[in-house]
Amino acid sequence: QQPVQSPQAVILREGEDAVINCSSSKALYSVHWYRQKHGEAPVFLMILLKGGEQKGHEKISASFNEKKQQSSLYLTASQLSYSGTYFCGTGHSGNTPLVFGKGTRLSVIA
Amino acid sequence: DAGVIQSPRHEVTEMGQEVTLRCKPISGHDYLFWYRQTMMRGLELLIYFNNNVPIDDSGMPEDRFSAKMPNASFSTLKIQPSEPRDSAVYFCASSFGQIEAFFGQGTRLTVV
């Protein structure tokens, strides 16, 4: 079942922060975050496994709340290079493939 | 490694024609996925293979779609006959153990 992402789109000025949410109606085993720039392939950012952990990747970090069946991606002090569409992919066991949300379009302007 | 290689990058075809999309996964990866991306539906999983064996093809829209993986280094997705609603970007991705999936550059298919 496709996870729900919010917001659908967000516009930021350089240096501002953003949060992108990903919710599932089913119990989650893992959450994967990808970023896709226009006309390019999605690129892996990070994976979170059940356990409520938080991970970081430069100024981009994420949390995973297993009980609430949701994950959030945090972008701090945004840069122009952060622009793109962010997808969360959810896995419900170690053997099932990811189901992706519809994406959140992030635009960072100067 | 050159990453996941897909061909062609762009394909324009007439309705009713057969279309074959090709994918070369990263060497050593044991999973291969075919996704379709549209504005309306986002990234949809069509089918995936594990060690060249199709595991789940429930995402394949119709019998017009078929996929094969004859060996560890090659996979095809075929649409026959093609229809305008098949127009989309088709991505192939591979991974080792379903941790981090590496996507190819995609094939933009336009059926007129």
Side-chain angles (χ1 to χ4, degrees):
Chain A
Q1 200 151 6
Q2 189 174 45
V4 176
Q5 288 186 235
S6 64
Q8 290 184 327
V10 59
I11 300 175
L12 298 175
R13 292 197 178 275
E14 271 186 297
E16 291 183 337
D17 302 340
V19 180
I20 300 171
N21 299 304
C22 175
S23 298
S24 174
S25 58
K26 289 179 62 176
L28 293 173
Y29 173 81
S30 65
V31 178
H32 303 224
W33 286 97
Y34 286 77
R35 177 172 63 203
Q36 183 180 29
K37 293 186 178 288
H38 183 68
E40 298 182 7
V43 174
F44 176 80
L45 292 177
M46 66 187 76
I47 178 176
L48 299 101
L49 300 175
K50 66 177 183 177
E53 64 181 285
Q54 185 149 354
K55 277 200 167 184
H57 179 80
E58 297 177 345
K59 293 182 181 177
I60 301 174
S61 61
S63 63
F64 179 18
N65 189 317
E66 185 186 342
K67 285 185 179 179
K68 292 185 177 180
Q69 299 171 180
Q70 64 186 35
S71 175
S72 295
L73 186 71
Y74 306 94
L75 300 101
T76 57
S78 58
Q79 306 169 14
L80 294 175
S81 62
Y82 288 1
S83 293
T85 300
Y86 290 78
F87 293 94
C88 69
T90 52
H92 302 289
S93 77
N95 296 319
T96 55
L98 297 180
V99 179
F100 285 94
K102 290 190 176 180
T104 295
R105 180 171 297 201
L106 179 77
S107 300
V108 181
I109 58 176
Chain B
D1 203 317
V4 177
I5 300 173
Q6 290 187 246
S7 63
R9 290 293 309 276
H10 302 273
E11 177 81 36
V12 179
T13 191
E14 290 186 347
M15 183 173 63
Q17 296 297 307
E18 176 180 297
V19 175
T20 299
L21 311 181
R22 297 173 176 80
C23 174
K24 176 177 166 50
I26 293 174
S27 177
H29 282 187
D30 56 350
Y31 283 88
L32 183 138
F33 309 89
W34 281 101
Y35 287 92
R36 177 172 68 176
Q37 186 174 39
T38 61
M39 289 295 291
M40 290 294 294
R41 295 173 173 260
L43 269 168
E44 300 175 275
L45 177 66
L46 300 177
I47 184 172
Y48 78 101
F49 297 82
N50 177 221
N51 293 322
N52 313 339
V53 177
I55 303 301
D56 185 352
D57 65 354
S58 60
M60 297 284 259
E62 302 168 31
D63 291 345
R64 298 184 296 106
F65 286 68
S66 63
K68 294 182 180 180
M69 191 166 186
N71 56 62
S73 58
F74 185 65
S75 178
T76 60
L77 178 68
K78 187 177 294 187
I79 308 173
Q80 165 64 15
S82 57
E83 296 182 4
R85 60 192 168 122
D86 301 331
S87 297
V89 180
Y90 290 81
F91 285 104
C92 172
S94 70
S95 69
F96 181 72
Q98 292 204 64
I99 299 299
E100 176 182 350
F102 292 82
F103 283 75
Q105 290 301 302
T107 295
R108 182 175 294 275
L109 175 65
T110 304
V111 183
V112 298

